[in-house]
């Protein structure tokens, strides 16, 4: 049982058990299988564009040519990917030993199940694959996803009905961002009423995948549920006023919410017969990818900051006293009912870095690195703002903006002056996109009440394997940077949450998350590696002071850009 200090000693995962974590991200579906000692038994993935080309996605999504900013993915593709991934995994992991499965998914996206789909889910036939059986299950064959930016009008309506953006943030965890599920549902109700009327249930991507696995509608978990603008962040219940402000008869379509560590159900007979899962295998509630990464990185102390560099770039940390702001998102911590996580999300992540690489570094990461090495920290005051996609933070439309900040060595913000320019030389463009993102992250993290400088940063996501990028991160934030031994923190977090949910179920009570991994951090898949120390080199502190000034200048320029171009 849990002791008074929250650590657990006598809880054990059964020796021969396995725990499966899945991550349905924007571009792929990934799996991590852990054994009871938290060692990795197998990993695998299905890449939507290349493995399932018949859905015609690009980066896992489709841009609607008929409506600017409308970005969708077909939910049937996610279901087909699940079949394919389990088929690939089966020869390498004994799925009958899986005691529990849980998952992670891109946040905010919404799936519209057609009338009668619940019955179809309950009757899945193991003799046929999922795709033909679920093809008719959707009122909308395309789900709006987090990249969508077509709901500005609905966002303003929801905010007005709820007493303003900041009040909505204080009540539900964030203002109405265009990707939030509530405004997305409102738009569906307004613009495609025939779809909304034919919908018996709305799932998030996370609860959609859990629903397929249990063969019936799974609850939305309270953590991912906080990304909807409908749930009260304090009580973790749907808010009547927010439901009303969103769409009629919505409560029955959303269903009940459940904690992230709860059991969603037993795995459906379809998976037992087709993939040889045990019929006792538990499906633990799925949650969002960022909350799962928080779990996978075992982030627990205020001052620990995670930066994930992926399709979206995100910054997140744990807090017990969340401060609502217009910029961040507050979610309940998926593995600790007493605390919250604060998240900042940037839409222009890896795809925009790739675009700059293609323009200025001959489409090569080696060349990109060489150009980074050729340029000095602070980039001679060159600040770039690169929005290949309509950005969330700051809310700005597509466009590139470049400035040269002069008098950086004066040490005073008042003395800094900026000059707008059309282009930099290629090496400066490359440094400007990397430095610019971290300057922005640092400035906004501070504004959201996350401790700056952090005690440490844990870097994750594709670009975190680049030591030059991590060095810049350490210099700008003024702290050491660690990397996780595993690059896929979201599916790892989901596997750990599967083990956590299994233990909570066995104890019939919440048990501290640390009881899953206590005493094993250094020996398992969870160990962290110091990638870049901070403060060892002469000049680190002076450089940090200059970056501090540049952060302030950047926020000032962002504000001016919002006044000029923001909608
Ligand atoms: C977070 C967000 C993105 C997606 C990416 O609010 O929208 O990070 O979760 O998958």
């Amino acid at each position: 049982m849990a002791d008074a200090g929250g650590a657990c000693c006598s809880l054990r995962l059964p020796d021969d058990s396995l725990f499966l974590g899945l991550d349905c991200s924007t571009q792929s579906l990934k799996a991590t299988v852990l054994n009871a000692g938290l060692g990795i038994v197998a990993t695998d993935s299905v890449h939507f564009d290349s493995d399932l080309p018949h859905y015609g996605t690009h980066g896992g999504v489709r841009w609607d040519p008929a409506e600017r900013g409308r970005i969708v993915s077909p939910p049937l593709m996610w279901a087909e990917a699940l079949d394919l991934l389990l088929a690939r995994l089966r020869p390498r992991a004994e799925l009958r030993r899986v005691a529990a499965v849980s998952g992670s998914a891109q946040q905010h996206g919404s799936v519209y199940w057609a009338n009668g789909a619940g019955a179809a889910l309950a009757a899945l036939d193991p003799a046929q694959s999922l795709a033909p059986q679920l093809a008719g299950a959707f009122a909308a064959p395309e789900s709006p996803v987090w990249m969508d930016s077509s709901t500005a009008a609905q966002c303003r309506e929801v905010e007005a009905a709820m007493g303003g953006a900041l009040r909505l943030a204080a009540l539900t965890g964030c203002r109405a961002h265009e990707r939030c599920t509530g405004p997305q549902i409102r738009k569906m109700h307004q613009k495609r009423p025939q779809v909304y009327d034919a919908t018996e249930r709305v799932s998030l991507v996370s609860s959609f995948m859990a629903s397929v696995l249990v063969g019936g509608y799974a609850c939305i978990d309270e953590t991912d549920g906080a990304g909807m603008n409908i749930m009260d962040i304090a009580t973790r219940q749907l808010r009547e006023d927010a439901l009303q402000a969103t769409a009629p008869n919505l409560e029955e379509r959303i269903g009940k919410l459940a904690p992230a560590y709860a059991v969603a159900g037993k795995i459906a007979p379809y998976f037992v017969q087709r993939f040889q899962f045990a019929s006792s295998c538990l499906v633990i509630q799925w949650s969002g990818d960022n909350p799962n990464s928080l779990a996978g990185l075992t982030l627990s102390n205020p001052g620990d900051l995670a930066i994930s560099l992926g399709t979206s770039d995100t910054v997140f940390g744990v807090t017990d006293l969340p401060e609502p702001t217009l910029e961040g998102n507050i979610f309940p911590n998926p593995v600790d009912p007493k605390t919250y996580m604060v998240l900042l999300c940037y839409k222009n992540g890896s795809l925009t870095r790739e675009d700059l690489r293609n323009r200025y570094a001959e489409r090569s990461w080696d060349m990109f690195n060489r150009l980074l090495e050729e340029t000095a920290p602070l980039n001679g005051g060159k600040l770039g703002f690169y929005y290949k996609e309509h950005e969330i933070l700051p809310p700005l439309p597509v466009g590139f903006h470049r400035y040269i900040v002069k008098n950086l060595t004066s040490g005073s913000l008042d003395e800094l002056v900026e000059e707008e320019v059309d282009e930099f030389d290629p090496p400066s463009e490359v440094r400007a996109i990397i430095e610019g993102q971290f300057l922005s992250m640092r400035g906004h993290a501070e504004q959201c009440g996350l401790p700056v400088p952090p005690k440490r940063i844990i870097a994750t996501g594709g670009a975190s394997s680049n030591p030059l990028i991590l060095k810049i991160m350490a210099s700008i934030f003024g702290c050491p940077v660690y990397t996780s031994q595993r690059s896929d923190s979201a599916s790892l977090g989901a596997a750990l949450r599967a083990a956590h949910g299994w233990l909570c179920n066995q104890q019939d009570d919440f048990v501290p998350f640390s009881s899953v991994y206590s005493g094993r951090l250094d020996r398992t898949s969870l160990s962290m590696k110091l990638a870049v120390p901070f403060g060892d080199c002469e000049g680190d502190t002076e450089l940090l002071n200059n970056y501090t000034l540049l952060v302030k200048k950047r926020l000032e320029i962002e504000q001016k850009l919002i006044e000029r171009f923001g909608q």
Side-chain angles (χ1 to χ4, degrees), residues 26 105-108 146 179 289-290 312 314 329 331 343 345:
T26 314
Q106 53 170 301
Q107 302 197 252
H108 313 291
W146 69 276
R179 68 193 191 287
D289 50 3
N290 297 294
S312 64
T314 57
N329 285 59
F331 303 121
L343 170 102
C345 177

Side-chain angles (χ1 to χ4, degrees), residues 221-536:
D221 88 287
E222 292 163 357
T223 299
D224 213 14
M228 297 193 292
N229 283 137
I230 300 175
M231 188 192 87
D232 188 298
I233 192 80
T235 63
R236 298 167 191 207
Q237 306 280 326
L238 298 176
R239 284 187 68 92
E240 190 51 43
D241 50 1
L243 287 162
Q244 296 291 341
T246 303
N249 307 320
L250 183 55
E251 188 169 5
E252 66 211 40
R253 287 174 165 85
I254 296 274
K256 291 205 179 337
L257 305 176
Y261 49 83
V263 174
K266 294 238 175 86
I267 200 157
Y270 173 89
F271 297 95
V272 174
Q273 289 171 39
R274 205 170 164 96
F275 298 104
Q276 284 76 56
F277 279 91
S279 54
S280 58
C281 173
L282 298 180
V283 179
I284 304 302
Q285 287 287 337
W286 281 48
S287 190
D289 50 3
N290 297 294
N292 275 283
S293 283
L294 182 111
L297 298 172
T298 60
L299 224 65
S300 49
N301 300 316
D304 276 355
L305 196 70
I307 296 185
S308 164
L309 301 171
T311 311
S312 64
D313 282 352
T314 57
V315 181
F316 50 87
V318 177
T319 174
D320 33 21
L321 277 179
E323 275 287 326
T325 62
L326 292 181
E327 296 161 336
N329 285 59
I330 299 167
F331 303 121
N333 184 336
V335 288
D336 176 8
K338 294 205 185 74
T339 59
Y340 293 85
M341 70 179 281
V342 176
L343 170 102
L344 300 174
C345 177
Y346 292 82
K347 195 165 2 168
N348 287 274
S350 56
L351 299 177
T352 304
R353 279 185 288 276
E354 217 169 282
D355 184 62
L356 269 272
R357 179 205 66 177
N358 295 347
R359 287 172 195 239
Y360 301 111
E362 297 170 10
R363 312 183 81 84
S364 138
W365 287 120
D366 285 342
M367 177 57 107
F368 188 93
N369 282 349
R370 245 175 280 142
L371 297 184
L372 265 186
E373 275 175 319
E374 265 176 34
T375 45
L378 299 168
N379 209 15
K382 297 191 190 80
L383 281 183
F385 300 75
Y386 302 97
Y387 308 124
K388 184 174 140 32
E389 293 293 331
H390 181 113
E391 181 50 77
I392 297 166
L393 189 56
L396 281 173
V398 173
F400 288 2
H401 314 279
R402 300 168 179 90
Y403 295 85
I404 302 182
V405 176
K406 308 227 166 98
N407 303 337
L408 205 53
T409 48
S410 68
S412 146
L413 186 61
D414 295 340
E415 309 257 323
L416 302 191
V417 281
E418 75 271 18
E419 180 198 340
E420 189 163 6
V421 296
D422 288 340
E423 226 174 350
F424 302 141
D425 52 289
S428 302
E429 297 280 7
V430 162
R431 180 166 280 273
I433 190 172
I434 301 297
E435 286 198 345
Q437 190 74 325
F438 297 143
L439 291 168
S440 171
M441 285 177 173
R442 185 182 142 182
H444 289 290
E446 212 156 6
Q447 285 183 343
C448 284
L450 288 169
V452 172
K455 287 195 192 110
R456 58 173 186 161
I457 291 175
I458 302 167
T460 159
S464 68
S465 59
N466 184 331
L468 295 173
I469 291 184
L470 298 188
K471 171 124 189 35
I472 297 174
M473 188 188 280
S475 304
I476 291 181
F477 276 87
C479 71
V481 173
Y482 290 75
T483 48
S484 152
Q485 301 292 70
R486 306 288 319 173
S487 58
D488 185 13
S489 53
S491 68
L492 176 62
L496 288 172
R497 290 201 317 99
H500 182 229
W502 188 90
L503 284 175
C504 293
N505 182 62
Q506 205 207 25
Q507 297 296 304
D508 206 12
D509 200 358
F510 177 81
V511 300
F513 186 51
S514 56
S515 54
V516 177
Y517 58 77
S518 61
R520 295 162 164 173
L521 273 185
D522 292 338
R523 285 179 289 118
T524 62
S525 51
L526 304 173
S527 65
M528 303 289 164
K529 187 169 132 245
L530 177 63
V532 190
F534 180 78
D536 292 356

